[in-house]
Each structure stands twice: as structure tokens, then as C-alpha cells.
Amino acid sequence: MNEEINKLVKYDSFIQLYFHCIGVEGHSVVSAYLFGMGVMGLITPTGLILPSLAMVNVNYRQWLRFCMPLVLIFTVVLICLLLITNRYPSYW
């Protein structure tokens, strides 16, 4: 019983414990978070997206129509990369 408690105490948060229990490495969790932030940064209307679109006289609907195929391609590629890095972590 003490061994199990000692194993659980070494994790800083519940998220680390959860991903360890389901067999996902820490670097995969960080990569997934960063990939998600990058993809969402293309379509979220905050930060530099709206001022940049206003400067070039492109409305947000046109931007989404242009950006959505790219977002889908990026998402598929990044999911494949995450699956590969989680399956073969020693190569990375």
C-alpha cells in the first residue's frame, strides 16, 4: 500500500497522474497542447488576426473560408505526428 501511495505522490498534478495511467508520455501532452494552440491561433478572432484582416481589407468570413482547409490539413498532420511520437517515443 505504501508503494502505491509513494508512486502517486511523485506526480505534481492530477493531469500528470491521469496521462500516466492511460499511457501517454508527458512530451505528447505538451506537444498536443502546443499544436492545439497553434491551430486555434489561425481561426480565433483575437490578437493580430482581426487587425491584420482589417489592414488588408479582408472580412473574417473570407478568412475562415480560406483558412479552414489549412486548419483541417494541419489537424490531420498533427494528429498523425502525435500518434507516431506516442507510439515510438524513443525516436524523438
Side-chain angles (χ1 to χ4, degrees):
M1 183 72 172
N2 274 344
E3 292 176 15
E4 291 179 21
I5 292 173
N6 289 337
K7 287 180 185 177
L8 296 179
V9 170
K10 74 176 186 176
Y11 297 104
D12 294 333
S13 68
F14 175 74
I15 294 173
Q16 287 178 332
L17 176 63
Y18 174 72
F19 285 113
H20 177 73
C21 289
I22 62 172
V24 177
E25 298 289 330
H27 63 87
S28 296
V29 175
V30 172
S31 295
Y33 177 76
L34 293 174
F35 290 161
M37 280 184 55
V39 170
M40 290 307 294
L42 290 173
I43 60 173
T44 306
T46 58
L48 288 176
I49 296 292
L50 286 180
S52 300
L53 293 176
M55 285 191 316
V56 295
N57 201 19
V58 174
N59 67 18
Y60 186 63
R61 187 176 305 255
Q62 290 173 327
W63 171 251
L64 283 180
R65 210 174 308 133
F66 167 77
C67 193
M68 275 312 192
L70 292 175
V71 168
L72 292 175
I73 291 169
F74 289 159
T75 303
V76 169
V77 169
L78 293 174
I79 286 172
C80 291
L81 286 174
L82 284 172
L83 290 173
I84 290 169
T85 58
N86 197 35
R87 178 71 172 105
Y88 305 106
S90 62
Y91 293 131
W92 310 100

